[in-house]
Amino acid sequence: MAVTYDKKYRSDRYKLPKTDLSRWYLKIDPLGVQNWIYDSLEGEFDLKGSASRWSDDFDDQLTTKGQPCSTADQSLEKTIHTAYQLDLPEYHEFSVKKNNEYYNGNNTVDAKLASAALQSAINGYEFFASIQDPAGTWPCQYGGPMFMLIGYVAARYFTKVPIAEEVRIEIIRYLVNTAHEVDGGWGLHTEDKSTCFGTAINYVILRLLGMDSQHPVMVKARQTLHALGGAIGVPHWGKSWLAVLNLYEWSGVNPCPPELWMLPYWLPIHPGRWWVHTRAIYLPLGYLSCAKAKCPLDSTLESLRNEIYVKKYDTINFKNHRNTVCGIDLYYPHTRILNMANEVLGLYEQYRPTWVKRRSLKYSYELIKKEINNTDSLCIAPVNMALNAIVVYLEEGGQSAAFQRFLYRWPDFLYMSPKGMMLIGTNGVQVWDVAFSLQYACVAGITHQSQFQDPIRKGFHFLVRSQFTEDTVPGSYRDHRIGGWPFSTKTQGYSVSDCTAEALKAIIMIQNSPGYEDLKGTISEANLNKAIDVLLMLQNKGSYHYGSFSSYEAARAPPFLEKLNPAEVFGNIMVEYPYVECTDSTVLGLAYFRKHYEYRGAEIDEAIRLANAYIVSSQDVDGGWFGSWGVCYTYATMFAIEALSTQGNDYSNNEHVRRGCDFLVVRQEADGGWTESFRSCEIQSYVRGSKSEVVQTAWALISLLLSNFPDRTKVDKAARFLIERQRADGGWNQDEIEGVFNHSCAIEYPNYRYYFPVKALGMYAKLYDSSATTSIG
Ligand code: LAN
C-alpha cells in the first residue's frame, strides 16, 4: 500500500504511516448507511467484506416503490461530499466563489442588510447542497466521544478478527492526532482534559494495534497515565473493558448481575425500565461479567499488564479497587445506596448457584438476540454493539451467521477524517440533519429557487424511506415503533421523540411548499397519522414530569434510580428524564401537523397544552432553559421560544418569551455574536466561551426573531455577524463543539454551522425585507 507523509499533523511529525486519502470513498446506501471504502489499488477493498455493497437487499430497503435513488448514484466516482469530508484538493477547487455584493459592510440599519441576509442564506444553502450525498443525506464526522474505539478494537482482538491494514493505520493516526499536545493523554471526549479512562483505553488501543511501547507517543501517554495513578483508577466501563481484555480482574469490577433482568417488571429497579442506552450496555456487560469472559493472554497483553499500572500486575489486589476511581475522571460519585447495593450484590455473586448463573446467562442472551434482531446487528450504539459481538462470539462462534453480521455492520460506525479514522457515537446524524435542513430551507423562504429543488427532493425522499414500517420484536422491552423516525437510520431501529416530530414536520412543510405539491401522497396520510400515534404515546404522565417528552421512550421509572448510576463519568443515565428540547420539538411537530390534518385533533391540543405547561415550568429563574443535548442554555432557550411562539406568544405578550430573550440579549458579545462554553453543560450554569460563535449566534438570533424582539439594533448586529463570518464559498467554519450528552460528554454536530445560520438569516430577511418574502415558513 502506498504510504505518504506530510507535516500537518502530529502523526506526520512522527512519520507514522498514512493511507492515501484520495483513495477513500464514502458510499451511502438509500437508507443512509455510511461506509468508507479504501481503494488499495490491489483491488477495491470493501470494509463490508463483500464485493458489491449494492447487493440484492438494496431494493428491499426501499420501503416505498418508485422513489428516486438510482444505483448509478452510488458509483465510486469521487464526489464532492467525499472530497469535502477529507479536505481534499478536489473540494477546494470546486468551491464556488460568491461575494456578497449586496452587503455594503457599514453599520447602518437599512434594507440592504436584509437583502444581504437573504443572499447569504442562499449562498449558505448552495454550499450546503453541494456537500449532500446522492442518498439525500449530509454525512459528517460525528466525533467527540473518545471512549468508543475501545469497543471495536477490543472486540476484534477478543474474537481474533484482524483489522484491515488501512483501518489500523488510520485509527492509529486518529489517536495520535487527538492526544493532548502537553501530556500525550486523552479525555472522555475531545474537549476534555486527560483522564485516567481516556488515557488508559486509548493507550491500550494503540498497543493492540501494534504501536511499540517505546515509541515516544506511548512513552508520553504512559507517563501521564502513571501520573494519574495508573489504570487502576479507570471508571466502571474502563474496568470492564480491561477485564474483557484480561488486563484487569473481574473481581475488581463492581457487579451488574444479569439476574436483574429476571426480576418482576413492576419493580422500579427492573433494567427494562432504565434509559435505553444504559440497559443496552448493562445487558451484555452483565453477561460478560457473570461469565467472567476474558481474552486468552498473549505476549502483548502480558506486556500491557505491566505497562498500564504503577505496580506489578501480580501484586495488585484488584478486589480492593472496585471503587477506586481517579479523581479527575469522577463526574458522578457513588451514592451510599449504590455502595451498599454493590456490597450485597458482590456477596451474592460469590455464592450464586451454578443453575442460576446458567439461567440468567441464557435469559440475557435471549434479550441480546432481540436487540440484534431489532437493529440488524447495529445495536443502539457502538458500545453495546461491541459487547454484544463478544457475547455472540462466545455463544455461537466466529463462523456463525450472527457473528458474521457484526463484521458486516461494524464499518457503519467507522468514519474517516483528515486526522484519521474514528468511531462515531451513532451510525450518523442522517435523519436529524435532513429534517432540519429541509425545514430551514422552507423557513428561510428559499425552497422555490431552482437550484434547491433537487437537494430538497432527495432529502424529502430520504425521510420518507426512513420512517419505521416494522415493529420491534415482542418481549424486547421496547415500545411500538411503527410510524416513528430514528436519529440516524431506519436500520438502527430506535425511534426518538424529537426526531419523529422534526421529520414529520419537515415532510409536511415540503409537501406544502410552492413547487413541491407533486410530492403530496408520497407518504400516505395513514403513515403520518402513525407518527402522531407514536408521539402521543411518548408523552410523560408521571407526576414530576407531567406533559413533557423524553428521548426514546416515556419515563418508565422515577428519577431516584439515578442514585444507582454506576458509571461514574456520566450524569443522568439511569432513566428517561423530561427534556425541554425533546418537548419543544414534539410540540412543534404536533402543532404543525394540526395545522394541516384533523387526526386525533383534540388529543393533540391537549398534549400541546400539557407540554407547554411543562416548558414554562422548566424555565430557570434567570430566564434561560438548560439544554441536555446541545450547548447549552442558548440551544434549549431557542427550542423553548420556538415552541412557545407557535402558540402565538412573543416578546410583547408573553412573560416567558420575554424572560428568555432577556436572558439571551444580556449575553450578546460586542461583535454581535454569542458564545457559550461546553462547561455550561457540566456545571449547569451559563459559562461564557472565548469568542463569538456562528452556531450560538444563529440560535440566539432565531430566538429573537421568533419573539419579535423590539430592539432592532441587537438583531441587526447578530445578522451582520453571521454574514461577516461566512466564507466566500458560502460555508461557515467550525467553532467550538456544539453538542453534549449525559452532562459530561461533548459531541460534534458539524452540519449545525450550515443550516442554523441559513434559517436565522432567511428569517431575518423575511421579517425586514418585504421583497425577500417568497415561500412559506
Ligand atoms: C444522541 C444524539 C441525538 C440526541 C437528540 C436527538 C439531539 C436528542 O434530542 C435526544 C437524544 C439523542 C437521540 C442522543 C441520545 C444519546 C446519544 C445516542 C447521542 C448523544 C449520540 C451518542 C449518545 C450515546 C448515549 C452514546 C453512547 C454512550 C453512552 C454513555 C451510553
Side-chain angles (χ1 to χ4, degrees):
M1 182 195 320
V3 168
T4 53
Y5 303 101
D6 64 40
K7 292 261 161 3
K8 204 165 158 195
Y9 293 109
R10 197 161 178 252
S11 57
D12 303 318
R13 281 189 266 132
Y14 286 115
K15 292 210 170 358
L16 287 174
K18 179 180 186 178
T19 61
D20 180 350
L21 292 199
S22 69
R23 295 205 197 130
W24 284 96
Y25 298 90
L26 179 56
K27 271 189 165 186
I28 317 284
D29 87 355
L31 289 178
V33 171
Q34 308 165 343
N35 286 157
W36 282 94
I37 294 165
Y38 192 64
D39 174 6
S40 64
L41 294 186
E42 289 130 30
E44 177 197 323
F45 177 78
D46 187 338
L47 292 178
K48 286 276 193 198
S50 67
S52 164
R53 180 71 192 84
W54 315 108
S55 52
D56 303 343
D57 58 359
F58 180 91
D59 279 342
D60 304 342
Q61 293 176 10
L62 293 176
T63 54
T64 316
K65 290 275 169 250
Q67 287 173 9
C69 187
S70 77
T71 5
D73 281 343
Q74 279 91 34
S75 72
L76 268 186
E77 244 168 69
K78 178 66 69 194
T79 47
I80 288 306
H81 74 91
T82 306
Y84 159 77
Q85 304 278 326
L86 296 184
D87 204 18
L88 298 176
E90 286 96 323
Y91 159 65
H92 294 279
E93 283 157 26
F94 151 87
S95 289
V96 236
K97 301 276 173 284
K98 256 200 184 128
N99 285 314
N100 204 330
E101 63 214 43
Y102 298 94
Y103 177 49
N104 58 14
N106 72 32
N107 284 340
T108 53
V109 177
D110 56 31
K112 278 194 171 172
L113 187 57
S115 339
L118 177 63
Q119 190 57 47
S120 179
I122 293 172
N123 291 355
Y125 213 74
E126 269 177 11
F127 171 82
F128 189 49
S130 70
I131 54 168
Q132 187 186 31
D133 72 67
T137 71
W138 277 273
C140 60
Q141 284 137 13
Y142 191 38
M146 290 301 292
F147 60 94
M148 306 280 183
L149 264 170
I150 183 68
Y152 174 70
V153 175
R156 302 287 284 222
Y157 203 82
F158 192 105
T159 59
K160 301 193 177 44
V161 184
I163 292 178
E165 187 57 3
E166 34 281 88
V167 176
R168 191 186 69 85
I169 288 179
E170 289 299 336
I171 291 180
I172 293 182
R173 225 164 57 78
Y174 181 75
L175 288 183
V176 170
N177 289 329
T178 48
H180 293 142
E181 202 58 62
V182 199
D183 61 11
W186 297 265
L188 181 70
H189 53 92
T190 44
E191 307 297 294
D192 199 12
K193 71 272 165 204
S194 296
T195 62
C196 189
F197 186 27
T199 308
I201 56 175
N202 290 308
Y203 179 94
V204 168
I205 295 173
L206 285 176
R207 290 283 289 119
L208 296 182
L209 293 182
M211 286 282 277
D212 191 278
S213 63
Q214 293 315 312
H215 190 284
V217 170
M218 305 310 289
V219 172
K220 198 167 173 184
R222 195 161 60 238
Q223 274 165 2
T224 296
L225 181 58
H226 286 192
L228 292 167
I232 201 73
V234 291
H236 193 217
W237 294 7
K239 291 187 187 330
S240 307
W241 278 122
L242 294 182
V244 166
L245 285 168
N246 213 343
L247 297 172
Y248 191 93
E249 298 299 316
W250 279 112
S251 61
V253 184
N254 272 319
C256 60
E259 286 88 329
L260 289 179
W261 285 94
M262 298 193 294
L263 292 173
Y265 187 70
W266 56 261
L267 281 173
I269 181 92
H270 190 285
R273 296 178 177 275
W274 301 356
W275 188 43
V276 274
H277 281 280
T278 308
R279 69 181 193 240
I281 288 173
Y282 281 98
L283 174 63
L285 208 54
Y287 180 105
L288 293 172
S289 67
C290 179
K292 305 234 178 314
K294 51 183 167 181
C295 205
L297 266 188
D298 61 19
S299 58
T300 309
L301 295 177
E302 292 259 24
S303 168
L304 262 170
R305 279 179 161 199
N306 290 313
E307 293 166 33
I308 59 176
Y309 299 103
V310 288
K311 280 166 84 178
K312 274 193 86 59
Y313 189 85
D314 298 334
T315 64
I316 302 173
N317 184 349
F318 285 93
K319 207 167 165 225
N320 291 345
H321 288 286
R322 287 184 174 187
N323 298 325
T324 307
V325 183
C326 177
I328 228 167
D329 289 57
L330 206 53
Y331 180 78
Y332 190 88
H334 288 189
T335 55
R336 276 185 37 210
I337 177 165
L338 175 66
N339 282 337
M340 274 158 58
N342 280 338
E343 285 296 318
V344 175
L345 291 175
L347 271 178
Y348 163 75
E349 275 192 342
Q350 274 178 25
Y351 301 104
R352 163 169 50 202
T354 324
W355 68 268
V356 176
K357 180 173 164 180
R358 230 181 296 122
R359 248 193 85 186
S360 44
L361 286 179
K362 188 162 179 283
Y363 191 80
S364 45
Y365 189 55
E366 289 306 311
L367 288 174
I368 289 172
K369 282 201 282 195
K370 289 183 179 169
E371 162 79 344
I372 292 169
N373 204 326
N374 284 330
T375 61
D376 193 5
S377 303
L378 257 178
C379 306
I380 190 169
V383 182
N384 82 320
M385 187 216 196
L387 294 165
N388 286 342
I390 299 177
V391 175
V392 168
Y393 173 85
L394 291 172
E395 284 273 341
E396 304 197 19
Q399 292 313 313
S400 63
F403 182 72
Q404 291 293 317
R405 194 68 183 168
F406 279 105
L407 300 185
Y408 173 82
R409 277 289 166 218
W410 245 317
D412 298 8
F413 290 109
L414 291 171
Y415 210 95
M416 255 317 267
S417 80
K419 278 188 201 160
M421 185 163 253
M422 60 177 107
L423 199 111
I424 50 182
T426 59
N427 63 328
V429 191
Q430 296 85 330
V431 165
W432 188 242
D433 276 341
V434 173
F436 283 141
S437 308
L438 301 195
Q439 286 184 40
Y440 299 168
C442 294
V443 176
I446 58 176
T447 44
H448 64 288
Q449 305 247 350
S450 59
Q451 71 275 36
F452 299 141
Q453 286 270 335
D454 182 51
I456 286 176
R457 284 166 180 272
K458 276 191 190 146
F460 175 88
H461 289 297
F462 172 75
L463 286 185
V464 174
R465 285 196 293 275
S466 301
Q467 189 182 25
F468 289 116
T469 44
E470 291 95 40
D471 222 337
T472 49
V473 295
S476 48
Y477 296 99
R478 294 277 310 277
D479 279 344
H480 158 80
R481 74 176 170 201
I482 296 179
W485 271 271
F487 171 67
S488 56
T489 63
K490 186 178 180 183
T491 318
Q492 189 262 1
Y494 277 81
S495 61
V496 185
S497 64
D498 51 2
C499 303
T500 300
E502 297 290 0
L504 174 72
K505 187 173 170 198
I507 286 176
I508 303 175
M509 256 192 182
I510 295 298
Q511 284 184 341
N512 289 285
S513 287
Y516 295 85
E517 293 85 354
D518 58 303
L519 293 177
K520 276 200 180 136
T522 314
I523 180 165
S524 67
E525 208 172 307
N527 275 6
L528 297 178
N529 294 348
K530 285 178 191 155
I532 294 300
D533 295 339
V534 167
L535 291 177
L536 291 178
M537 169 189 79
L538 288 176
Q539 191 160 33
N540 281 317
K541 300 288 179 320
S543 53
Y544 66 97
H545 39 38
Y546 203 76
S548 65
F549 287 82
S550 301
S551 57
Y552 298 81
E553 293 167 344
R556 295 177 173 186
F560 76 73
L561 237 74
E562 198 60 36
K563 300 228 176 290
L564 297 176
N565 173 354
E568 291 136 357
V569 288
F570 301 110
N572 279 27
I573 63 160
M574 286 306 288
V575 293
E576 279 281 11
Y577 289 90
Y579 292 113
V580 75
E581 305 102 298
C582 298
T583 311
D584 302 327
S585 285
T586 309
V587 165
L588 295 174
L590 291 173
Y592 207 80
F593 176 88
R594 188 77 179 97
K595 274 205 325 215
H596 296 269
Y597 303 92
E598 291 299 320
Y599 182 69
R600 297 182 72 178
E603 289 164 84
I604 293 179
D605 291 342
E606 178 61 2
I608 294 177
R609 194 183 65 75
L610 296 174
N612 271 335
Y614 169 75
I615 295 169
V616 163
S617 72
S618 61
Q619 187 171 27
D620 281 356
V621 274
D622 61 4
W625 278 268
F626 174 75
S628 298
W629 308 108
V631 176
C632 174
Y633 291 88
T634 320
Y635 177 75
T637 302
M638 170 192 68
F639 277 108
I641 288 184
E642 182 151 16
L644 295 175
S645 78
T646 56
Q647 316 305 306
N649 301 305
D650 72 5
Y651 195 89
S652 67
N653 64 14
N654 185 282
E655 183 218 330
H656 300 283
V657 173
R658 196 157 49 239
R659 282 175 46 222
C661 287
D662 292 345
F663 171 86
L664 291 172
V665 288
V666 295
R667 288 164 174 86
Q668 188 173 27
E669 302 290 318
D671 60 5
W674 273 262
T675 168
E676 186 179 353
S677 157
F678 170 76
R679 286 282 295 150
S680 296
C681 311
E682 293 176 321
I683 67 166
Q684 302 190 38
S685 168
Y686 189 95
V687 181
R688 216 176 134 196
S690 54
K691 65 174 182 24
S692 295
E693 295 168 39
V694 167
V695 174
Q696 298 273 341
T697 306
W699 289 341
L701 177 56
I702 291 167
S703 311
L704 300 186
L705 292 168
L706 285 166
S707 318
N708 294 314
F709 185 71
D711 182 351
R712 174 106 186 246
T713 53
K714 294 198 188 311
V715 176
D716 287 343
K717 255 183 139 179
R720 201 174 282 121
F721 174 85
L722 290 179
I723 298 171
E724 277 169 357
R725 285 288 294 272
Q726 188 169 33
R727 295 194 307 250
D729 66 4
W732 281 270
N733 289 337
Q734 173 78 43
D735 298 314
E736 298 301 307
I737 205 147
E738 303 86 357
V740 62
F741 59 91
N742 305 133
H743 292 195
S744 59
C745 192
I747 190 158
E748 286 163 34
Y749 286 84
N751 290 324
Y752 280 3
R753 69 178 188 272
Y754 302 126
Y755 53 70
F756 278 111
V758 167
K759 176 178 182 179
L761 290 166
M763 285 174 69
Y764 177 92
K766 266 186 172 180
L767 250 176
Y768 296 124
D769 181 0
S770 51
S771 66
T773 329
T774 37
S775 187
I776 65 139

